[in-house]
Amino acid sequence: LCGPKIKSIMKGVPSDHHLLYFGWLGNIKNLNWTINVHAPKSGGPTFPFPTNEHHMEDHDIYGTVLWGAYAYHIKKAGYDAIISALTLDVGGLLWKGKRMRAYVAKPVDKIMPRKVKNAGLRIEVAKSPCFFRAPMLKSRIHAKWDPEFCKSTEFQLEADSTEMPNGWDDVWLTDSERRVVERKVQIGLWQD
């Protein structure tokens, strides 16, 4: 199911891209702007990774708009840019909040686009995602947001109704993931 979709995207993506996302997510506000305002400005099957240069602030959108680096294609120049930047600044892998006792690793979905973009390389995003975040997949760093991740994925599926007319039923899920979706339909809440 994903193979033909990926091949179609690869045929239409600008050849000078260095990082291409096939699966991506964001909060609902950011997804709404990305899907309904930003993405339609591009004629092909992809759009440029949203950054401040895309006038996000006009829509009260800030920061890393899209995240979830769970399905991507990176060319050697993009990979080299990431490795080079992190080699020169190992601390770029770490962060520590005000009340945290120790440093923790930054999520790769924050590091990748910043390092590739800072190297002046092009990042593209598939307008129609090929991969989606599993329902109630346990986050190791943001567990309290697991239900919100599901709401965002559900929003994304509904927005892609021509490609995914049946929502979650069009996504390959394990039996336990399917039960999570069924429970959400029954009680109206995301929980495992």
Side-chain angles (χ1 to χ4, degrees):
L1 187 64
C2 289
K5 193 172 178 180
I6 291 170
K7 285 180 183 177
S8 173
I9 291 166
M10 292 301 287
K11 285 181 185 174
V13 70
S15 61
D16 63 342
H17 78 281
H18 296 92
L19 176 59
L20 171 61
Y21 285 95
F22 291 108
W24 45 275
L25 202 55
N27 67 44
I28 290 177
K29 179 181 175 185
N30 292 355
L31 288 177
N32 187 39
W33 175 82
T34 300
I35 293 166
N36 296 309
V37 177
H38 181 61
K41 293 176 183 175
S42 296
T46 64
F47 59 89
F49 188 88
T51 62
N52 290 334
E53 67 193 36
H54 297 110
H55 306 288
M56 301 178 327
E57 66 280 353
D58 296 348
H59 302 274
D60 200 28
I61 305 287
Y62 300 94
T64 304
V65 176
L66 301 179
W67 34 258
Y70 45 84
Y72 57 89
H73 172 262
I74 190 165
K75 291 185 177 177
K76 184 165 179 8
Y79 174 81
D80 289 345
I82 294 168
I83 297 303
S84 175
L86 294 177
T87 300
L88 295 173
D89 178 19
V90 176
L93 283 171
L94 306 172
W95 68 280
K96 181 180 172 191
K98 291 179 183 178
R99 294 187 175 96
M100 296 171 62
R101 291 182 170 191
Y103 286 91
V104 294
K106 287 181 183 173
V108 70
D109 55 350
K110 298 281 188 176
I111 294 172
M112 286 176 50
R114 289 177 184 165
K115 301 303 180 190
V116 172
K117 194 72 176 168
N118 288 347
L121 302 177
R122 186 172 183 159
I123 306 171
E124 291 286 313
V125 181
K127 284 184 181 176
S128 179
C130 303
F131 300 90
F132 298 88
R133 191 176 195 280
M136 292 308 290
L137 178 68
K138 294 290 183 200
S139 173
R140 309 254 318 153
I141 57 175
H142 300 299
K144 70 179 182 179
W145 294 108
D146 288 346
E148 295 303 315
F149 295 150
C150 291
K151 290 176 188 175
S152 290
T153 303
E154 197 166 46
F155 178 86
Q156 199 176 34
L157 286 166
E158 289 169 4
D160 199 12
S161 60
T162 55
E163 292 279 335
M164 309 294 282
N166 301 309
W168 286 108
D169 289 336
D170 288 331
V171 178
W172 182 89
L173 298 172
T174 65
D175 290 340
S176 62
E177 291 165 347
R178 181 80 48 212
R179 285 190 294 275
V180 168
V181 172
E182 290 168 359
R183 192 165 338 143
K184 193 276 181 181
V185 170
Q186 292 171 352
I187 65 173
L189 297 172
W190 286 106
Q191 54 184 230
D192 54 349

